Amino acid sequence: MSAVRSKHGRSLEPDNGNGFRRVIVTVLFPWMAARFLFKPRVGPSREDRMLDRLAFWRSTIGLGVVLVATSRYQNVWVNTFRKMGDTGWLAFLLLPLPILAIFIVTRSGRRASLLPGVLLLMRRALLTLAVIYLPIGLLIVAADERNTDPLADSDIQLRYDIDLNVQGEAGFWLLVAIALAIVLVLWFCCFWYCTLYWAARTGFWMGHMHPLLAPIGAVSLMLLISGQEIITHDTNGVPDGLWLTLNLCGAATVLVLAAFEYRHLRSVGYRFRNGPEPITMDSGGRTAGVEGAIGAAGSETAPPIAGTPIQPDE
């Protein structure tokens, strides 16, 4: 989905503690935390919300169908994770191309309006890379340090520490610490997968640069990933007929949803050459750019703008 939001912020009214409860729920559940950090905001219109729900259910139902249909032939969780990783990594590697293209296409007077979206994209991209690769780096460093220590001394020290701390109250707190560490590891693993999901679904947040890049980026990545699988015939043990059907159905749903999203964004006034803000629409359906010229002498002034323009997420 495109990264758009309403121009006006929410009113600051007392919520009787609801805000605090929402913060607690967001922190406790990894899906909510990843959604808060990485999901692009949805526009205020009914069509924006509907397209966002359709994108979510397309991903959820599609994943369910793949899990059920291919569970007999492959390790579906490993292959699904690999495909999400390939999509997110490919989107990250290709980011310089849409950034360069959108700066070239946009009119010179509107290019400065692209910078906030690009900066937001880079912040989320760096946070995503830190979430995904920092734990891997820490594990590698810990493994190297473990290999450099004498194994015998380590085992002796470990047995000594356990014998010293398992007695009385110290043993209870040791068990609590171990249980808490297990819970935190499980929470982070779920958060890690959710972060990868948002990176793959949003094409590393291409829509932050320009809303029209969201559907175009989704289709481009889908065609690259699916085309590579079809060319290399990477079935992972799934029968050819089932594998081809799942790939074609997935590609078709992405194309249909992206076409509707692109058409909706065009209808509310988004154009590539005018930057990430929509142009105004007059009552006759004609478009007028943000720098549109005034009519000939004697003509009436342009009608007032109807509605509130949508701006990129911040």
Side-chain angles (χ1 to χ4, degrees), residues 1 45-52 264:
M1 288 298 296
S45 69
R46 182 176 61 87
E47 290 79 5
D48 290 319
R49 295 190 296 271
M50 180 184 68
L51 288 170
D52 180 67
H264 167 65

Short mmCIF file of all heavy atoms in Angstrom, two decimals, residues 1 45-52 264:
data_model
loop_
_atom_site.label_atom_id
_atom_site.label_comp_id
_atom_site.label_asym_id
_atom_site.label_seq_id
_atom_site.Cartn_x
_atom_site.Cartn_y
_atom_site.Cartn_z
N MET A 1 0.83 -1.20 0.00
CA MET A 1 0.00 0.00 0.00
C MET A 1 0.86 1.25 0.00
O MET A 1 1.97 1.26 0.49
CB MET A 1 -0.90 0.02 1.24
CG MET A 1 -2.03 -1.01 1.18
SD MET A 1 -3.15 -0.71 -0.18
CE MET A 1 -3.82 0.87 0.28
N SER A 45 -9.46 7.95 3.15
CA SER A 45 -10.67 7.63 2.40
C SER A 45 -11.05 6.16 2.58
O SER A 45 -10.25 5.32 2.99
CB SER A 45 -10.47 7.92 0.92
OG SER A 45 -9.55 7.02 0.34
N ARG A 46 -12.31 5.86 2.25
CA ARG A 46 -12.80 4.49 2.34
C ARG A 46 -12.05 3.57 1.38
O ARG A 46 -11.79 2.41 1.70
CB ARG A 46 -14.30 4.46 2.04
CG ARG A 46 -14.94 3.09 2.16
CD ARG A 46 -16.44 3.19 1.94
NE ARG A 46 -16.74 3.69 0.60
CZ ARG A 46 -16.83 2.92 -0.48
NH1 ARG A 46 -16.64 1.61 -0.38
NH2 ARG A 46 -17.11 3.44 -1.66
N GLU A 47 -11.72 4.07 0.20
CA GLU A 47 -11.00 3.27 -0.78
C GLU A 47 -9.60 2.90 -0.27
O GLU A 47 -9.14 1.77 -0.50
CB GLU A 47 -10.89 4.01 -2.11
CG GLU A 47 -12.19 4.17 -2.86
CD GLU A 47 -13.05 5.31 -2.30
OE1 GLU A 47 -12.56 6.02 -1.38
OE2 GLU A 47 -14.19 5.49 -2.77
N ASP A 48 -8.93 3.85 0.41
CA ASP A 48 -7.61 3.55 0.96
C ASP A 48 -7.70 2.41 1.97
O ASP A 48 -6.88 1.49 1.96
CB ASP A 48 -7.02 4.79 1.63
CG ASP A 48 -6.63 5.86 0.63
OD1 ASP A 48 -6.10 5.50 -0.42
OD2 ASP A 48 -6.88 7.04 0.90
N ARG A 49 -8.66 2.49 2.87
CA ARG A 49 -8.81 1.45 3.90
C ARG A 49 -9.18 0.11 3.27
O ARG A 49 -8.71 -0.94 3.71
CB ARG A 49 -9.84 1.88 4.93
CG ARG A 49 -9.43 3.11 5.75
CD ARG A 49 -10.37 3.34 6.90
NE ARG A 49 -11.72 3.65 6.45
CZ ARG A 49 -12.15 4.88 6.19
NH1 ARG A 49 -11.32 5.91 6.33
NH2 ARG A 49 -13.39 5.10 5.80
N MET A 50 -10.03 0.14 2.26
CA MET A 50 -10.44 -1.10 1.62
C MET A 50 -9.26 -1.77 0.92
O MET A 50 -9.06 -2.98 1.03
CB MET A 50 -11.56 -0.83 0.61
CG MET A 50 -12.05 -2.09 -0.10
SD MET A 50 -13.28 -1.72 -1.36
CE MET A 50 -12.26 -0.84 -2.56
N LEU A 51 -8.45 -0.99 0.21
CA LEU A 51 -7.29 -1.54 -0.48
C LEU A 51 -6.28 -2.10 0.51
O LEU A 51 -5.64 -3.13 0.26
CB LEU A 51 -6.65 -0.48 -1.36
CG LEU A 51 -7.42 -0.10 -2.62
CD1 LEU A 51 -6.80 1.13 -3.28
CD2 LEU A 51 -7.42 -1.27 -3.61
N ASP A 52 -6.12 -1.43 1.65
CA ASP A 52 -5.21 -1.93 2.67
C ASP A 52 -5.69 -3.27 3.23
O ASP A 52 -4.90 -4.20 3.42
CB ASP A 52 -5.08 -0.91 3.80
CG ASP A 52 -4.13 -1.37 4.88
OD1 ASP A 52 -2.92 -1.48 4.60
OD2 ASP A 52 -4.59 -1.65 6.01
N HIS A 264 -6.71 4.13 -8.25
CA HIS A 264 -7.23 4.97 -7.17
C HIS A 264 -6.30 6.15 -6.90
O HIS A 264 -6.77 7.29 -6.75
CB HIS A 264 -7.39 4.14 -5.90
CG HIS A 264 -7.62 4.95 -4.67
ND1 HIS A 264 -8.75 5.73 -4.47
CD2 HIS A 264 -6.83 5.16 -3.57
CE1 HIS A 264 -8.66 6.35 -3.30
NE2 HIS A 264 -7.51 6.03 -2.75
#
